[in-house]
Structure formats: structure tokens, C-alpha cells
Amino acid sequence: MLKPTIGLEIHAELKTKTKMFCGCPNDPEESHPNANVCPVCLGHPGVLPTANLEAVKAVIKLGMALGGNIPQKAKFDRKSYFYPDLPKGYQISQYDEPLVLGGELAGVKVRRVHLEEDTARLTHADDGESSLVDFNRAGVPLMELVTEPVIHSAGEALRFAKELQLLLRYLEISDADMEKGEMRVEANISLADENSGEFGTKVELKNINSFKAVEGAVTYEMERQSKLLAEDEKIVQETRGWDPIKAKTFSQRVKEEAHDYRYMPEPDIPPMDFAKLGEISLDEIKSSLPELPWQKRKRFAEDYALQPAQVDFLVADKPTADFYEEAISEMEENDGGKNNTLLFNYISSDLQGLLKEANLKTTDEDFKITPAKFADLMALIAKGDITSRAAKNVLSEMFKTGLDAHQIIKNMSLDEFSGEDKLQSVVREVIEQNEKAVADYKKGKENALQFLTGQVMTKTRGGSKPDEVMNLLRELI
Ligand SMILES: [Zn+2]
């Protein structure tokens, strides 16, 4: 049996105020080419880079969250290569003394995490003759995480990448949006006989810029290699790209060995010794760690008695999880987990639907529903003072106006139908207008009653309770 072995290398741009080795703004939203540049990030000769300690702290924070080892000393190195996106001919990176060694995430062992600078962005013109270079991205702090080759399926690789994105967001060190290129995944894949104890020839996959591509590219490559091996063909050690349209990997170039990069210590940046570097306190970073995704999952499962899938849904977006918790704490009574599920249901379906439609997030200023107002509405539903149908209308109105539930109900005159007399008049009206359904019901057709109930509910805009309506209908027919 052939067993696939996968190792991941994941890059993420850190969201610091300034770039890695100069004072230029680090602004991923900047759309005017070459606006945030200076001689340092343009790679002019003779300039002096200085390390951005916010970026160093961010990587240490990640290392601590992973449970990795933070060596007392770290240094930067020059990684030589020539390409138009890197005019100085080398990238400042870290070779043998990275910031983080070891760690674990989603059951996958991490080998190291280091810090380097991003390259310029190249745009290839349509004529195929020329390329444009934008240096806004050049010198943006970039962290690279390398896993041990211990992943054996595309699903496992995908889980790891998703969990890392979530962790980076919880730590608030990167937005890690793959579509914007803020997080990029590379995968090393080899296939070998299960019992051989050796690795096969390694192929490196690049250009993986979505979670869908992580799964697609890894799956395709495992199948391609096992077909070749089944036909006694050799695997070429190379770098392959992923074509999302053809859903295929394609050969890019034969892989360089590590020594081709001619690593050498960066002479312009002093090595870091955290015992002596006053600006960085490892204790302070450690105490600044927030509740981590897996810790939150455990607590949510215990405190709110939610199902694992419900917990995953909330924890996958920290603002949503926060909103849920704040709303829960606003609710007066917490009757044995019933309200926990009620709140979850309204947040995960109705509220998400409204947010999606308006292209809003709960953290946006235009989002007008406070957890307290949301909790008030949930309490009305829990007490049976309002039907779920009316609640949908109230929520949608609250989303638009930010008014509280009682005010909305008053404005929409939903409450005018709650009195029995008013409801009776509507029921009478419906009976008069639907002779056929009434006759059907009298003949014993139960679903005619359902139909009539629906008519009453529509007329009262959901402001009445189905049970009550049905009883009244039975009485009055
Ligand atoms: Zn600069």
C-alpha cells in the first residue's frame, strides 16, 4: 500500500502598522502602486534595515499559542535568489535560528515558525512582453510556519490550514484572508510504501490560494503520483502549480536544493537575545494571550451545552461567539439550556441571513443590534409572547433601525392582534372570505384548518399564536 506524506509551509502577512525593516506603512488596502515605498524596501544598496519588533512579538505570540519553544536567541539571514520581485538579490529571512521551534496545532506537529519579508507584487501585462512591479507589498512582515511531514490526507491538511487561519485571527496578528493573498499555502507531497519507513520523492505544490484549492491540489497530486508509481514511472522532484480552472497541477520548475539559496547571517541586523532585549518581554507576551479557539470550544460545550457542530459554528468567527455570549448573559433566565439553543438558532440562521444579505459583519459600525436588544427579543420568544414568525419580522426591523423589540412591536402594531376580541374579528373575516375551505373543514379535512390558520397568521402579520388561532377557528366555524 502506498502511503502519502504531506508537510505544509504556510505564509501569512502580519498586520503591523509598518513594514518589516523600514518605517513605510503596511497597508494591504493601498491600491495606488508604489505609494508605500522607501530606499530600504525598494532594495537600494547601502541602506540600513532595522527589525520591526511588533512583528517579532507577533510570531513569538503565535509560537506560544502553539506550545512551541521560544529559543532565547534568534537572528536574521540573507536568502539569496534573483527575481524581479526582489531587486536586492536576497530576501531577509531566518535560517538556523528561527523565532519558534516545535509546537502543535490540530494534532499536527509544527517544526518551526520564522519571520521574513514579503516580496513585491508582479503583474504580467497582456502583451506577454512586459511585467509591472508594485513595491507596496515589498518588505511587509511575513511569517512562515513549517509543519513536520506528518499529514496523511487532504482533509487533514485542510483542517490544519483552517485552524491556523482561525488562530491567527484570534491572536489578531493577521487577517489571513487567502483570497487577498494574506495567507498562502504550500504543500510537500510524497508517496512511499507503507512499510518501507522511507519517504518517496518530494513534489512541492505552490499557488494554493483558497481552502478549496488546498483540498483539490493535494488530492489531485496524490492521485497523479500513485498512478505514475503504479506504472513503474519515476516521480520528478519539482515544484508544481495548481490550476483551479483545469483542476490540475502542472510542472513549474525543478526544485532548487537548500544550498542554492546561499544563506548567510544578515550583517546589518544584530542578532536578538531576548534575555537582554529590553523591548521584548516574553512574560508579557505570554500573559497577553487571549482565549484560544480550542479553549473556547471546550468552554462553550461545557457552559452552554451546545452540540459540537454548533460550538464549531460560533467559535469559527470570534465576533459571532462574543455576540452569542453577551446576549446570553443579558438574558434574565437561563432555563436548562433551552435559551442557549434558541439564541444559537436565531444567530446562526436569521441573523446570519440578514448579515449576509446586507454584506455586514457584527463588528461593523452599521450593525445596529446590540446583544441586549437581541436578548430582549429572545426573551419574548422564550416566554411565548411573540410567535417565531413575528420574531423574524421584528428582528429584520431591528436590523434596519436598531430600535428595541417592544418599540418595533408597537410600531408594527403586532400587539393589536394579541387581544382576543381583535383576533376574533380577524378570524371571522377569514371564515367569511374562505367558504370553500370552511366547507372542506366541516367535511373533516384537517388541512383546511391549517390553511385557514395560515390566512389568519398572514392578516395578523404573525402577531398571533397558531394554537390560539386554531382553537378560535374550531369554536367559530
Ligand atoms: Zn520602506
Side-chain angles (χ1 to χ4, degrees):
M1 262 306 266
L2 288 170
K3 186 178 178 184
T5 300
I6 304 159
L8 296 176
E9 290 173 17
I10 303 183
H11 285 92
E13 287 177 349
L14 302 175
K15 51 173 187 182
T16 51
K17 282 190 198 74
T18 55
K19 290 188 182 181
M20 189 60 228
F21 299 113
C22 61
C24 291
N26 169 16
D27 179 10
E29 304 298 325
E30 175 56 63
S31 57
H32 188 82
N34 297 309
N36 296 331
V37 295
C38 75
V40 174
C41 54
L42 286 170
H44 289 194
V47 292
L48 261 187
T50 46
N52 180 342
L53 295 182
E54 289 309 308
V56 173
K57 283 185 202 170
V59 172
I60 292 175
K61 201 169 169 185
L62 172 66
M64 287 175 171
L66 296 169
N69 174 29
I70 314 298
Q72 195 188 304
K73 290 178 180 171
K75 69 171 170 63
F76 287 99
D77 300 276
R78 290 184 177 182
K79 178 184 181 179
S80 307
Y81 77 86
F82 180 75
Y83 204 66
D85 62 4
L86 191 71
K88 64 181 183 282
Y90 61 86
Q91 178 188 32
I92 306 180
S93 180
Q94 294 189 281
Y95 183 49
D96 53 350
E97 289 185 52
L99 287 167
V100 181
L101 286 169
E104 195 179 321
L105 183 70
V108 173
K109 289 243 180 305
V110 171
R111 179 179 291 171
R112 58 183 275 157
V113 190
H114 68 255
L115 189 52
E116 57 191 34
E117 56 180 334
D118 208 346
T119 56
R121 193 187 289 277
L122 292 178
T123 310
H124 304 289
D126 291 336
D127 60 11
E129 301 272 310
S130 55
S131 296
L132 301 167
V133 193
D134 175 7
F135 285 91
N136 285 342
R137 199 182 70 178
V140 163
L142 194 65
M143 60 128 248
E144 180 177 346
L145 177 148
V146 183
T147 75
E148 294 290 351
V150 290
I151 299 170
H152 299 294
S153 72
E156 225 183 314
L158 181 65
R159 262 200 307 285
F160 182 88
K162 282 189 169 172
E163 190 73 346
L164 179 64
Q165 181 191 58
L166 189 60
L167 179 58
L168 292 169
R169 289 175 176 177
Y170 267 64
L171 296 173
E172 294 176 1
I173 59 176
S174 172
D175 290 333
D177 191 330
M178 289 190 78
E179 273 171 31
K180 290 183 187 161
E182 291 165 352
M183 179 168 133
R184 300 160 227 159
V185 177
E186 290 165 31
N188 293 309
I189 303 180
S190 66
L191 260 70
D193 192 88
E194 208 172 15
N195 303 316
S196 73
E198 284 171 18
F199 293 124
T201 306
K202 191 166 80 175
V203 169
E204 190 176 333
L205 291 182
K206 291 203 171 192
N207 303 353
I208 306 179
N209 46 21
S210 71
F211 285 127
K212 204 175 156 223
V214 172
E215 210 172 16
V218 171
T219 305
Y220 177 87
E221 190 56 24
M222 290 189 315
E223 280 166 13
R224 185 188 72 89
Q225 290 184 26
S226 54
K227 253 185 223 158
L228 284 174
L229 291 170
E231 288 159 11
D232 264 341
E233 300 243 14
K234 270 206 161 164
I235 307 286
V236 181
Q237 181 170 341
E238 61 184 343
T239 300
R240 297 178 73 85
W242 169 246
D243 183 331
I245 293 160
K246 290 185 188 148
K248 280 181 173 178
T249 64
F250 59 92
S251 180
Q252 281 186 315
R253 59 188 149 91
V254 174
K255 173 93 181 127
E256 305 94 343
E257 291 297 328
H259 62 252
D260 285 349
Y261 291 128
R262 300 280 300 271
Y263 280 101
M264 61 169 274
E266 166 59 57
D268 291 336
I269 303 172
M272 293 171 281
D273 182 339
F274 298 118
K276 293 176 190 155
L277 199 65
E279 296 98 321
I280 290 183
S281 152
L282 297 187
D283 288 339
E284 223 168 81
I285 298 173
K286 185 144 213 173
S287 62
S288 77
L289 281 180
E291 182 179 43
L292 301 171
W294 50 93
Q295 293 165 342
K296 200 185 271 298
R297 282 190 198 107
K298 188 164 179 282
R299 189 170 62 78
F300 269 43
E302 286 169 5
D303 289 3
Y304 304 122
L306 294 172
Q307 299 299 312
Q310 296 175 325
V311 171
D312 280 347
F313 177 88
L314 292 172
V315 175
D317 184 56
K318 192 169 173 286
T320 305
D322 291 344
F323 186 86
Y324 177 80
E325 274 202 294
E326 283 166 43
I328 288 260
S329 71
E330 293 283 351
M331 288 203 64
E332 284 175 355
E333 42 187 26
N334 201 334
D335 48 3
K338 201 172 132 210
N339 290 343
N340 296 345
T341 307
L342 179 77
L343 252 81
F344 174 81
N345 290 339
Y346 272 87
I347 288 178
S348 62
S349 60
D350 298 275
L351 186 58
Q352 285 301 313
L354 290 166
L355 286 164
K356 230 181 208 162
E357 210 182 297
N359 197 18
L360 271 183
K361 288 188 207 139
T362 50
T363 45
D364 289 336
E365 246 174 68
D366 288 341
F367 177 63
K368 300 191 181 89
I369 303 179
T370 63
K373 284 177 185 164
F374 187 77
D376 281 346
L377 175 58
M378 293 299 112
L380 289 175
I381 303 168
K383 278 186 266 168
D385 288 351
I386 183 173
T387 63
S388 59
R389 178 144 172 208
K392 275 182 211 294
N393 293 338
V394 173
L395 186 65
S396 152
E397 194 62 20
M398 192 185 280
F399 187 79
K400 272 183 237 150
T401 61
L403 292 172
D404 63 57
H406 290 96
Q407 188 61 47
I408 292 166
I409 291 168
K410 212 171 165 196
N411 292 355
M412 293 173 89
S413 39
L414 287 175
D415 56 349
E416 83 184 53
F417 297 107
S418 55
E420 189 132 326
D421 290 348
K422 280 164 193 157
L423 185 59
Q424 269 200 21
S425 69
V426 176
V427 170
R428 285 218 167 84
E429 206 181 301
V430 166
I431 290 173
E432 272 165 34
Q433 287 167 354
N434 295 278
E435 284 173 23
K436 190 176 175 303
V438 173
D440 284 349
Y441 173 66
K442 282 180 176 163
K443 279 183 219 153
K445 284 190 183 166
E446 271 299 312
N447 46 5
L449 190 67
Q450 301 283 347
F451 169 77
L452 292 167
T453 307
Q455 295 297 304
V456 176
M457 299 295 287
T458 307
K459 278 188 187 284
T460 58
R461 278 175 276 169
S464 47
K465 293 173 196 163
D467 288 354
E468 232 172 83
V469 173
M470 250 188 240
N471 286 339
L472 258 175
L473 278 165
R474 284 203 190 95
E475 247 174 63
L476 295 174
I477 289 177

